[in-house]
Amino acid sequence: MYSICLVNPSMTYAEDIWKFRQEVLYSKDAERDKFAGCCSLEKCTSAKEWIHFVEERSVVETCPKDKAPSVTFLAVRIKDNKIVGIANLRYHLSNPILALWGGHIGYSVRPSERRKGYAKEMLQQAVSRCPSLGIDRLLVTCDSSNLPSKKTILACGGVYEKSVMVDGEPVERYWISI
């Protein structure tokens, strides 16, 4: 595994953002891949539109009232400046869905870059940014059937709280103390 850094989305990465989107959209596991933590990338028609969208969500005053303000990061591999993942860190859990099963953070690793430790590194780096957002306990969730996510959360200090049912499927809730 190579080191990564979390950076704010910008037009510098527009082409690779779109390649990331296409790779997730058309991966062999496309039905399972849900763009977790990608802040509606699948709904946008261009990287420029998505960058504007995430910038709007990052400011409390411009974030829609029914959504939680959040910051979105590109996980960029330092060696070659390639996006290996995307993470979305929500400032608070005021939205009932986030409070129950969405959590403070969502993240996705590019299908071609999975099983290389990037999810763990992304989550660790996101956790280190929590104090500046006033987050002292981070809720992280995953589908009960998603063993790689469970392992990532546990490796980052996640403590299992309980499972909740979402659309007939169990979702596990974990807390990471900051």
Side-chain angles (χ1 to χ4, degrees), residues 11 14 18 21 39-41 43-56:
M11 288 305 291
W18 210 246
R21 179 190 183 276
C39 204
S40 297
L41 176 60
K43 296 176 184 173
C44 292
T45 58
S46 69
K48 183 178 181 179
E49 176 188 358
W50 182 72
I51 292 165
H52 175 73
F53 181 82
V54 298
E55 287 172 349
E56 187 175 74

Side-chain angles (χ1 to χ4, degrees), residues 28-100:
K28 64 180 178 168
D29 295 324
E31 197 154 312
R32 185 176 60 85
D33 291 333
K34 301 175 188 167
F35 287 92
C38 292
C39 204
S40 297
L41 176 60
E42 72 279 11
K43 296 176 184 173
C44 292
T45 58
S46 69
K48 183 178 181 179
E49 176 188 358
W50 182 72
I51 292 165
H52 175 73
F53 181 82
V54 298
E55 287 172 349
E56 187 175 74
R57 288 282 176 95
S58 71
V59 179
V60 174
E61 293 77 23
T62 59
C63 183
K65 298 297 179 217
D66 63 331
K67 304 294 180 189
S70 62
V71 61
T72 301
F73 300 105
L74 304 176
V76 176
R77 186 170 45 218
I78 294 170
K79 178 188 122 191
D80 59 2
N81 211 34
K82 180 180 181 179
I83 298 170
V84 297
I86 297 176
N88 179 256
L89 182 59
R90 295 139 197 143
Y91 303 167
H92 52 73
L93 300 176
S94 61
N95 180 300
I97 291 172
L98 296 178
L100 180 63

Side-chain angles (χ1 to χ4, degrees), residues 1-27:
M1 182 189 75
Y2 299 97
S3 294
I4 62 168
C5 61
L6 298 183
V7 301
N8 296 108
S10 70
M11 288 305 291
T12 302
Y13 293 98
E15 184 177 333
D16 204 21
I17 290 167
W18 210 246
K19 286 179 182 177
F20 179 99
R21 179 190 183 276
Q22 297 306 97
E23 187 174 328
V24 174
L25 197 61
Y26 297 110
S27 75

Side-chain angles (χ1 to χ4, degrees), residues 103-165:
H104 282 101
I105 188 166
Y107 50 90
S108 290
V109 175
R110 189 179 208 133
S112 62
E113 300 295 340
R114 292 182 180 156
R115 302 189 191 292
K116 298 178 182 178
Y118 292 124
K120 179 181 172 186
E121 176 112 8
M122 287 168 56
L123 184 54
Q124 287 173 331
Q125 288 189 30
V127 164
S128 73
R129 297 181 184 223
C130 287
S132 67
L133 297 173
I135 301 169
D136 57 3
R137 279 181 76 213
L138 185 77
L139 176 62
V140 187
T141 65
C142 69
D143 292 345
S144 290
S145 61
N146 190 337
L147 188 57
S149 281
K150 277 193 231 188
K151 287 181 177 181
T152 296
I153 295 166
L154 291 169
C156 292
V159 176
Y160 175 78
E161 177 195 47
K162 66 180 180 179
S163 293
V164 296
M165 296 302 286

